[in-house]
């Protein structure tokens, strides 16, 4: 009869989750918590690194998409004839012919003075004074959706007017840069996955340690009529709370770092670095990471404790 009363008392404490006695029992079972043990601090460090890696992956994806779309239809024509008069005639002829082609959106002949200004820091003076021939440059913007067959046709048109000219697509020239951005993005995603696995491993170790430490208390609870699921829920609550506190601490530390990096990148006034800015939906997505850490920690703790209890009995 006494055993029945004690079993009913435990079940009452279990269902009344906000009762002081139930809360006191959970604290006695798992006394560590609220940043008192090492696990919340470890999760905070891993969440900090995870947020940075995830932000880097999003920024690299944004930069690759922006550069890819900007360079998809850009072509530069270099007319390198040594004779200035012939070079000017070829440039004017190509300028007039390319402007009449329907699948070419824009044609821009780069002024010679602008090229001279760009070469001045490298040559240490005026290229005209050094009697150096400056190639003529024509920037061409192809219409949206133009494929490689049109680029081949453009090359044939250019070669027909200026046989020594070079036709260079910006996407081909910068393809190694786009590949590097893609590699950095995938590497950042791999780091995020490894951090998630590491978080799960830390939770598993913490749950096993807590189970081994409180084995006597668990046996007493079993004799009072507690089920494995009820006991596992006690571990799950405490570890989920530790994970929540740790992940929020890591996220709070990562946000100022990202804002500082964004400010420094904006001060550089670089088109490439500006393209790597975080997309608008990046911050809401990053805010979901602490919630994901709590779910991973709660699931790993529940699975570990239930498995340990099943092996014990």
């Amino acid at each position: 009869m006494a055993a029945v009363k004690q079993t009913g008392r435990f079940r009452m404490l279990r269902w009344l989750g906000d009762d002081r006695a139930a809360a006191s029992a959970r604290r006695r079972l798992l006394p560590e918590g609220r940043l008192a043990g090492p696990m919340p601090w470890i999760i905070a460090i891993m969440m900090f690194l995870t947020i940075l890696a995830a932000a880097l992956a999003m920024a690299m994806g944004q930069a690759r998409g922006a550069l890819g779309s900007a360079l998809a239809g850009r072509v530069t024509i270099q007319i390198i004839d040594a004779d200035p008069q012939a070079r000017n005639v070829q440039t004017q002829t190509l300028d007039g012919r390319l402007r009449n082609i329907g699948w070419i959106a824009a044609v821009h002949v780069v002024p010679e003075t602008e090229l001279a200004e760009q070469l001045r820091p490298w040559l240490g003076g005026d290229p005209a004074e050094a009697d150096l021939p400056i190639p003529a440059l024509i920037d061409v913007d192809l219409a949206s959706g133009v494929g490689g067959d049109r680029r081949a046709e453009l090359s044939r048109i250019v070669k027909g007017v200026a046989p020594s000219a070079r036709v260079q697509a910006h996407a081909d020239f910068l393809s190694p840069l786009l590949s590097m951005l893609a590699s950095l993005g995938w590497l950042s995603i791999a780091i995020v996955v490894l951090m998630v696995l590491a978080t799960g491993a830390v939770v598993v170790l913490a749950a096993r340690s807590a189970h081994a430490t409180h084995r006597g208390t668990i046996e007493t609870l079993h004799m009072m009529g507690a089920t494995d699921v009820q006991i596992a829920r006690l571990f799950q609550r405490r570890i989920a709370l530790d994970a929540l506190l740790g992940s929020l601490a890591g996220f709070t530390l990562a946000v100022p770092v990202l804002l500082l990096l964004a400010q420094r990148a904006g001060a550089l006034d670089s088109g490439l670095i500006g393209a790597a800015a975080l997309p608008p939906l990046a911050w809401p997505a990053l805010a979901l990471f602490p919630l994901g850490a709590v779910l991973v920690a709660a699931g790993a703790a529940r699975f570990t404790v239930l498995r340990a209890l099943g092996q014990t009995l």
Side-chain angles (χ1 to χ4, degrees):
M1 189 70 178
V4 173
K5 290 183 179 179
Q6 301 227 354
T7 301
R9 183 180 304 170
F10 177 83
R11 290 176 178 174
M12 183 178 297
L13 293 178
R14 181 254 177 269
W15 287 109
L16 299 177
D18 296 332
D19 187 80
R20 293 181 180 178
S24 177
R26 290 196 297 269
R27 286 193 296 268
R28 288 196 301 270
L29 180 60
L30 292 173
E32 292 186 354
R34 299 191 179 183
L35 302 181
M39 191 187 75
W41 298 105
I42 296 176
I43 292 180
I45 295 173
M46 291 191 295
M47 178 56 60
F48 175 80
L49 298 177
T50 301
I51 294 297
L52 295 184
L56 178 60
M58 295 178 185
M60 292 300 100
Q62 175 77 2
R64 187 171 182 272
L67 290 177
S69 60
L71 301 177
R74 299 295 301 273
V75 177
T76 296
I77 302 172
Q78 299 181 19
I79 302 176
I80 57 177
D81 197 306
D83 185 2
Q85 184 176 359
R87 185 169 63 246
N88 292 334
V89 171
Q90 293 172 359
T91 301
Q92 295 174 4
T93 303
L94 277 176
D95 183 24
R97 182 171 299 184
L98 296 179
R99 291 181 185 275
N100 295 324
I101 298 178
W103 42 268
I104 293 182
V107 179
H108 173 65
V109 178
V110 181
E112 186 174 347
T113 55
E114 182 178 338
L115 293 176
E117 287 297 327
Q118 294 179 358
L119 293 175
R120 189 184 303 274
W122 303 97
L123 300 178
D126 191 351
E129 296 178 358
D131 197 19
L132 295 176
I134 302 177
L137 297 183
I138 303 177
D139 289 333
V140 178
D141 291 339
L142 303 180
S144 178
V146 172
D149 54 342
R150 292 298 189 184
R151 285 194 291 268
E153 184 178 351
L154 174 63
S155 180
R156 289 193 297 268
I157 294 173
V158 173
K159 292 293 183 180
V161 177
S164 61
R166 299 173 182 173
V167 180
Q168 192 169 45
H170 291 195
D172 297 337
F173 179 73
L174 294 177
S175 59
L177 175 60
L178 296 178
S179 299
M180 186 192 70
L181 293 177
S183 300
L184 289 176
W186 285 112
L187 177 61
S188 302
I189 293 175
I191 293 175
V192 172
V193 174
L194 290 177
M195 287 297 174
V196 173
L197 295 177
T199 301
V202 169
V203 172
V204 168
L205 293 176
R208 287 180 178 177
S209 176
H211 174 267
T213 302
H214 302 285
R215 187 183 299 271
T217 306
I218 293 173
E219 293 178 354
T220 302
L221 293 176
H222 272 139
M223 289 186 295
M224 294 174 62
T227 64
D228 290 350
V229 175
Q230 291 172 335
I231 296 175
R233 190 174 289 115
L234 298 177
F235 287 86
Q236 183 179 353
R237 288 175 180 174
R238 175 56 62 189
I239 292 179
L241 177 60
D242 289 345
L244 177 62
L245 296 176
S247 59
L248 288 179
F251 180 79
T252 303
L253 292 175
V255 169
V257 174
L258 293 177
L259 294 177
L260 178 61
L261 292 177
Q263 182 182 3
R264 295 293 177 85
L268 293 178
D269 195 18
S270 173
L272 176 59
I273 298 179
L278 288 177
L281 296 179
W283 292 107
L286 293 176
L288 295 177
F289 275 81
L291 177 61
V294 174
L295 295 178
V296 170
R302 183 181 182 88
F303 173 79
T304 303
V305 174
L306 288 176
R307 184 177 180 182
L309 292 173
Q311 293 175 350
T312 303
L313 297 180

